[in-house]
Amino acid sequence: MARLFCFPTLDKRSPNVPIGRAIIHRATGRIMGPIAPIFAEDWPFHTIADSEILWRYMDLGKFEDLIRSSTLYFSRPDKFKDPFEGRFSPGNAQQLSKSEEVFRQLYKIDDRNNRDYPEIHRTVVFISCWHRNTRESFEMWQAYASSPESVVITTSAKALRRFLPEKIMKYAVKYTPLDFPRTEFTHNSLFYYKPSPYSIEREYRLLRSPDENEVFYPDNPTDWFRRVPIKTKKIIHRVITHPYATRETKMKVDELLRQYLRCRRRENSALEI
């Protein structure tokens, strides 16, 4: 029996939020009880407009790997710096979210001490992080580019939606204080909450779930990441070098584009002095 089902019917007042959830029978798909409401303040999955520009800042080596292999690199979240990636927040130890409280009351559930599954799930999903903005961000250069030998690529929400596999989740991250209780609407929902201090990142997150027969060896470095094939011409819209990029770095990027992405031309940073 499945623990959770989120109804696709949307509330007109909160068009991003399903109207409710219930327990359903895995084999028959029949609803096994009442429909519990979902409150908008708890829901972590938020879509964005197709027109939104998304930025990915990276070192030159990662950019070279991206266009040579025509793959997008997805990292395992238990390797990220944020210790609360894919985990419940300290707020969960103090209280339940409104959505969770109603759900548990309706189904008489008390499993607050069962927290093993999120820890396991942190080792079998993979994430690609993008920054939502209309322009370059010097703060993002500082955070995600370790040296002036770096680039940023841009795309759009529409391109990622159209040209990446449908099974990859694509949502904006929800930023909340650490005393805000997170709700496990699905196995992946905890990965779409982040602590408020990270809000400057304005992250749009792609999440790859494990395939049905996929085998994992968590201690093997080859299982710390996954690569997703992409059409670089469709995904990469602009390539911009670091504000302090050297002439040699710019020449290197120009040569890589000539070899692997002739339809794009390198641009100098708008922040370059």
Side-chain angles (χ1 to χ4, degrees), residues 147-162:
S147 78
E149 292 186 343
S150 306
V151 303
V152 61
I153 62 172
T154 74
T155 190
S156 67
K158 181 178 181 180
L160 294 181
R161 179 179 57 79
R162 288 186 62 191

PDB file of all heavy atoms in Angstrom, residues 147-162:
ATOM      1  N   SER A 147      38.032  30.216  -9.914  1.00  0.00           N
ATOM      2  CA  SER A 147      39.082  31.064 -10.471  1.00  0.00           C
ATOM      3  C   SER A 147      38.526  31.812 -11.680  1.00  0.00           C
ATOM      4  O   SER A 147      37.435  31.495 -12.172  1.00  0.00           O
ATOM      5  CB  SER A 147      40.283  30.209 -10.896  1.00  0.00           C
ATOM      6  OG  SER A 147      40.022  29.573 -12.130  1.00  0.00           O
ATOM      7  N   PRO A 148      39.282  32.792 -12.200  1.00  0.00           N
ATOM      8  CA  PRO A 148      38.848  33.488 -13.428  1.00  0.00           C
ATOM      9  C   PRO A 148      38.790  32.578 -14.657  1.00  0.00           C
ATOM     10  O   PRO A 148      38.247  32.980 -15.684  1.00  0.00           O
ATOM     11  CB  PRO A 148      39.906  34.582 -13.604  1.00  0.00           C
ATOM     12  CG  PRO A 148      40.419  34.822 -12.224  1.00  0.00           C
ATOM     13  CD  PRO A 148      40.433  33.468 -11.581  1.00  0.00           C
ATOM     14  N   GLU A 149      39.321  31.362 -14.544  1.00  0.00           N
ATOM     15  CA  GLU A 149      39.214  30.401 -15.642  1.00  0.00           C
ATOM     16  C   GLU A 149      37.863  29.693 -15.544  1.00  0.00           C
ATOM     17  O   GLU A 149      37.774  28.485 -15.287  1.00  0.00           O
ATOM     18  CB  GLU A 149      40.360  29.393 -15.591  1.00  0.00           C
ATOM     19  CG  GLU A 149      41.724  30.008 -15.882  1.00  0.00           C
ATOM     20  CD  GLU A 149      42.803  28.952 -15.975  1.00  0.00           C
ATOM     21  OE1 GLU A 149      42.580  27.822 -15.509  1.00  0.00           O
ATOM     22  OE2 GLU A 149      43.874  29.255 -16.525  1.00  0.00           O
ATOM     23  N   SER A 150      36.805  30.457 -15.740  1.00  0.00           N
ATOM     24  CA  SER A 150      35.447  29.961 -15.536  1.00  0.00           C
ATOM     25  C   SER A 150      34.510  30.558 -16.569  1.00  0.00           C
ATOM     26  O   SER A 150      34.824  31.568 -17.200  1.00  0.00           O
ATOM     27  CB  SER A 150      34.951  30.326 -14.132  1.00  0.00           C
ATOM     28  OG  SER A 150      35.852  29.889 -13.138  1.00  0.00           O
ATOM     29  N   VAL A 151      33.358  29.896 -16.716  1.00  0.00           N
ATOM     30  CA  VAL A 151      32.325  30.406 -17.616  1.00  0.00           C
ATOM     31  C   VAL A 151      30.969  30.254 -16.944  1.00  0.00           C
ATOM     32  O   VAL A 151      30.815  29.515 -15.968  1.00  0.00           O
ATOM     33  CB  VAL A 151      32.298  29.653 -18.972  1.00  0.00           C
ATOM     34  CG1 VAL A 151      33.640  29.725 -19.665  1.00  0.00           C
ATOM     35  CG2 VAL A 151      31.854  28.212 -18.788  1.00  0.00           C
ATOM     36  N   VAL A 152      29.986  30.959 -17.491  1.00  0.00           N
ATOM     37  CA  VAL A 152      28.596  30.706 -17.138  1.00  0.00           C
ATOM     38  C   VAL A 152      27.840  30.448 -18.431  1.00  0.00           C
ATOM     39  O   VAL A 152      28.098  31.107 -19.448  1.00  0.00           O
ATOM     40  CB  VAL A 152      27.972  31.880 -16.348  1.00  0.00           C
ATOM     41  CG1 VAL A 152      27.961  33.173 -17.148  1.00  0.00           C
ATOM     42  CG2 VAL A 152      26.555  31.526 -15.891  1.00  0.00           C
ATOM     43  N   ILE A 153      26.968  29.439 -18.401  1.00  0.00           N
ATOM     44  CA  ILE A 153      26.100  29.191 -19.543  1.00  0.00           C
ATOM     45  C   ILE A 153      24.672  29.565 -19.140  1.00  0.00           C
ATOM     46  O   ILE A 153      24.320  29.523 -17.964  1.00  0.00           O
ATOM     47  CB  ILE A 153      26.155  27.726 -20.024  1.00  0.00           C
ATOM     48  CG1 ILE A 153      25.682  26.772 -18.922  1.00  0.00           C
ATOM     49  CG2 ILE A 153      27.558  27.368 -20.489  1.00  0.00           C
ATOM     50  CD1 ILE A 153      25.532  25.330 -19.388  1.00  0.00           C
ATOM     51  N   THR A 154      23.882  29.958 -20.105  1.00  0.00           N
ATOM     52  CA  THR A 154      22.482  30.252 -19.825  1.00  0.00           C
ATOM     53  C   THR A 154      21.582  29.349 -20.657  1.00  0.00           C
ATOM     54  O   THR A 154      21.972  28.836 -21.707  1.00  0.00           O
ATOM     55  CB  THR A 154      22.120  31.720 -20.140  1.00  0.00           C
ATOM     56  OG1 THR A 154      22.033  31.910 -21.554  1.00  0.00           O
ATOM     57  CG2 THR A 154      23.128  32.681 -19.535  1.00  0.00           C
ATOM     58  N   THR A 155      20.388  29.164 -20.134  1.00  0.00           N
ATOM     59  CA  THR A 155      19.349  28.444 -20.850  1.00  0.00           C
ATOM     60  C   THR A 155      18.020  29.058 -20.427  1.00  0.00           C
ATOM     61  O   THR A 155      17.985  30.134 -19.826  1.00  0.00           O
ATOM     62  CB  THR A 155      19.407  26.930 -20.567  1.00  0.00           C
ATOM     63  OG1 THR A 155      18.530  26.239 -21.459  1.00  0.00           O
ATOM     64  CG2 THR A 155      19.039  26.612 -19.132  1.00  0.00           C
ATOM     65  N   SER A 156      16.926  28.392 -20.721  1.00  0.00           N
ATOM     66  CA  SER A 156      15.612  28.851 -20.280  1.00  0.00           C
ATOM     67  C   SER A 156      14.871  27.687 -19.639  1.00  0.00           C
ATOM     68  O   SER A 156      15.180  26.512 -19.892  1.00  0.00           O
ATOM     69  CB  SER A 156      14.793  29.387 -21.453  1.00  0.00           C
ATOM     70  OG  SER A 156      14.462  28.337 -22.346  1.00  0.00           O
ATOM     71  N   ALA A 157      13.892  28.016 -18.825  1.00  0.00           N
ATOM     72  CA  ALA A 157      13.073  26.966 -18.215  1.00  0.00           C
ATOM     73  C   ALA A 157      12.384  26.143 -19.306  1.00  0.00           C
ATOM     74  O   ALA A 157      12.237  24.925 -19.181  1.00  0.00           O
ATOM     75  CB  ALA A 157      12.047  27.590 -17.277  1.00  0.00           C
ATOM     76  N   LYS A 158      11.997  26.807 -20.379  1.00  0.00           N
ATOM     77  CA  LYS A 158      11.342  26.103 -21.480  1.00  0.00           C
ATOM     78  C   LYS A 158      12.275  25.087 -22.126  1.00  0.00           C
ATOM     79  O   LYS A 158      11.856  23.952 -22.422  1.00  0.00           O
ATOM     80  CB  LYS A 158      10.866  27.112 -22.534  1.00  0.00           C
ATOM     81  CG  LYS A 158      10.145  26.479 -23.713  1.00  0.00           C
ATOM     82  CD  LYS A 158       9.661  27.542 -24.693  1.00  0.00           C
ATOM     83  CE  LYS A 158       8.909  26.924 -25.856  1.00  0.00           C
ATOM     84  NZ  LYS A 158       8.425  27.953 -26.811  1.00  0.00           N
ATOM     85  N   ALA A 159      13.540  25.455 -22.333  1.00  0.00           N
ATOM     86  CA  ALA A 159      14.490  24.535 -22.961  1.00  0.00           C
ATOM     87  C   ALA A 159      14.716  23.304 -22.100  1.00  0.00           C
ATOM     88  O   ALA A 159      14.769  22.177 -22.609  1.00  0.00           O
ATOM     89  CB  ALA A 159      15.807  25.255 -23.225  1.00  0.00           C
ATOM     90  N   LEU A 160      14.857  23.495 -20.793  1.00  0.00           N
ATOM     91  CA  LEU A 160      15.066  22.350 -19.908  1.00  0.00           C
ATOM     92  C   LEU A 160      13.833  21.454 -19.881  1.00  0.00           C
ATOM     93  O   LEU A 160      13.948  20.224 -19.834  1.00  0.00           O
ATOM     94  CB  LEU A 160      15.410  22.826 -18.500  1.00  0.00           C
ATOM     95  CG  LEU A 160      16.747  23.564 -18.351  1.00  0.00           C
ATOM     96  CD1 LEU A 160      16.987  23.952 -16.896  1.00  0.00           C
ATOM     97  CD2 LEU A 160      17.910  22.724 -18.869  1.00  0.00           C
ATOM     98  N   ARG A 161      12.674  22.080 -19.902  1.00  0.00           N
ATOM     99  CA  ARG A 161      11.432  21.290 -19.891  1.00  0.00           C
ATOM    100  C   ARG A 161      11.273  20.490 -21.186  1.00  0.00           C
ATOM    101  O   ARG A 161      10.884  19.311 -21.156  1.00  0.00           O
ATOM    102  CB  ARG A 161      10.237  22.220 -19.699  1.00  0.00           C
ATOM    103  CG  ARG A 161       8.886  21.505 -19.695  1.00  0.00           C
ATOM    104  CD  ARG A 161       7.736  22.470 -19.489  1.00  0.00           C
ATOM    105  NE  ARG A 161       7.714  23.532 -20.485  1.00  0.00           N
ATOM    106  CZ  ARG A 161       7.247  23.390 -21.727  1.00  0.00           C
ATOM    107  NH1 ARG A 161       6.797  22.211 -22.127  1.00  0.00           N
ATOM    108  NH2 ARG A 161       7.243  24.407 -22.576  1.00  0.00           N
ATOM    109  N   ARG A 162      11.625  21.101 -22.325  1.00  0.00           N
ATOM    110  CA  ARG A 162      11.408  20.458 -23.622  1.00  0.00           C
ATOM    111  C   ARG A 162      12.474  19.429 -23.972  1.00  0.00           C
ATOM    112  O   ARG A 162      12.185  18.410 -24.611  1.00  0.00           O
ATOM    113  CB  ARG A 162      11.355  21.509 -24.728  1.00  0.00           C
ATOM    114  CG  ARG A 162      10.108  22.361 -24.737  1.00  0.00           C
ATOM    115  CD  ARG A 162      10.087  23.258 -25.956  1.00  0.00           C
ATOM    116  NE  ARG A 162      10.060  22.486 -27.205  1.00  0.00           N
ATOM    117  CZ  ARG A 162      10.255  23.019 -28.408  1.00  0.00           C
ATOM    118  NH1 ARG A 162      10.482  24.316 -28.526  1.00  0.00           N
ATOM    119  NH2 ARG A 162      10.218  22.268 -29.485  1.00  0.00           N
TER     120      ARG A 162
END
